[in-house]
Amino acid sequence: MTQTISKETQRTLNAVVTPERQRRSEWTLQQGAPRIRSAVKTLLNSEYIDQDAADAAERWLRSYNLGKNDYVEYPPNHTPNTTVRHDAVSWQMLRAVSWREVAFVRSHLGRQAHQLFELMLADEKSFGQIAEIVFPSLGLTTGITRSSAACAMVLSQLPGALKAYDRWVKNQSDAGEKGECWLSKEMAEK
């Protein structure tokens, strides 16, 4: 890696990033702080996915974190809105709406895609770690190749799923309560 870093950043890097990851360049500097290079960033840099897929992955992760873990990650250009105040019920409704988006994507793309999203985005696993979980019977090199291909495939489908969700939300608001819910179909099939 050919980045020029200060002594302070190098000390932080040595404390945060393991020497193995430093040797394999599985880290990057973001606003002066060392961060582990994510699977999405790796796929984007190698041009296996486009920027729309990377943006969709970030949106999915924000919805996932709010819906499941009860915290919000703001994008770097976020402008805070202090005119709206939330009570506990409104906050839980906001979390439910975020989780509805995650559930829609899971319903749209399937459980295997959801599992890959959790592994690469929420758990920040490397392709080797994903290969050990998803393809345990394959060798490491073949498993890494297949896991990166599977991740690239589901990430390239994610923008379409989020556009379908946005259309569904718009149709629901236009139809009122008369619209048919995708979740009721999924639950009826089980």
Side-chain angles (χ1 to χ4, degrees), residues 28-53:
T28 184
L29 288 175
Q30 291 179 354
Q31 299 174 354
R35 300 279 186 247
I36 296 171
R37 180 176 294 144
S38 67
V40 174
K41 193 71 167 170
T42 302
L43 291 172
L44 183 63
N45 288 344
S46 59
E47 297 180 355
Y48 287 121
I49 61 171
D50 58 4
Q51 188 62 47
D52 288 340

Side-chain angles (χ1 to χ4, degrees), residues 1 17 20-28 35-38 126:
M1 189 151 194
V17 181
E20 179 186 0
R21 282 200 166 132
Q22 288 183 37
R23 281 192 304 277
R24 292 174 33 197
S25 295
E26 292 181 1
W27 62 278
T28 184
R35 300 279 186 247
I36 296 171
R37 180 176 294 144
S38 67
S126 67

Side-chain angles (χ1 to χ4, degrees), residues 1-2 20 50 73-74 88 105 114:
M1 189 151 194
T2 61
E20 179 186 0
D50 58 4
E73 289 186 3
Y74 294 107
V105 170
H114 180 78

Side-chain angles (χ1 to χ4, degrees), residues 100 164-174:
R100 179 180 68 181
Y165 172 75
D166 292 339
R167 281 192 307 271
W168 177 78
V169 167
K170 184 179 182 316
N171 290 341
Q172 289 296 308
S173 64
D174 291 346

Side-chain angles (χ1 to χ4, degrees), residues 124-176:
E124 296 181 340
K125 301 271 187 202
S126 67
F127 292 128
Q129 293 168 325
I130 293 171
E132 290 173 359
I133 295 168
V134 179
F135 305 111
S137 62
L138 297 177
L140 185 61
T141 305
T142 306
I144 289 173
T145 303
R146 287 196 182 174
S147 65
S148 65
C151 290
M153 183 184 68
V154 296
L155 281 171
S156 65
Q157 295 172 352
L158 185 57
L162 291 175
K163 287 177 185 172
Y165 172 75
D166 292 339
R167 281 192 307 271
W168 177 78
V169 167
K170 184 179 182 316
N171 290 341
Q172 289 296 308
S173 64
D174 291 346

Side-chain angles (χ1 to χ4, degrees), residues 6-94:
S6 67
K7 289 181 181 181
E8 171 94 18
T9 304
Q10 184 62 46
R11 279 194 298 273
T12 306
L13 179 65
N14 291 338
V16 175
V17 181
T18 63
E20 179 186 0
R21 282 200 166 132
Q22 288 183 37
R23 281 192 304 277
R24 292 174 33 197
S25 295
E26 292 181 1
W27 62 278
T28 184
L29 288 175
Q30 291 179 354
Q31 299 174 354
R35 300 279 186 247
I36 296 171
R37 180 176 294 144
S38 67
V40 174
K41 193 71 167 170
T42 302
L43 291 172
L44 183 63
N45 288 344
S46 59
E47 297 180 355
Y48 287 121
I49 61 171
D50 58 4
Q51 188 62 47
D52 288 340
D55 294 343
E58 186 177 329
R59 175 180 166 181
W60 183 92
L61 183 59
R62 279 196 311 268
S63 296
Y64 181 88
N65 283 334
L66 178 58
K68 186 167 186 169
N69 302 323
D70 195 22
Y71 64 87
V72 179
E73 289 186 3
Y74 294 107
N77 59 353
H78 173 72
T79 305
N81 182 0
T82 58
T83 59
V84 179
R85 298 186 68 177
H86 292 286
D87 59 3
V89 174
S90 298
W91 180 252
Q92 294 306 321
M93 292 299 293
L94 182 65

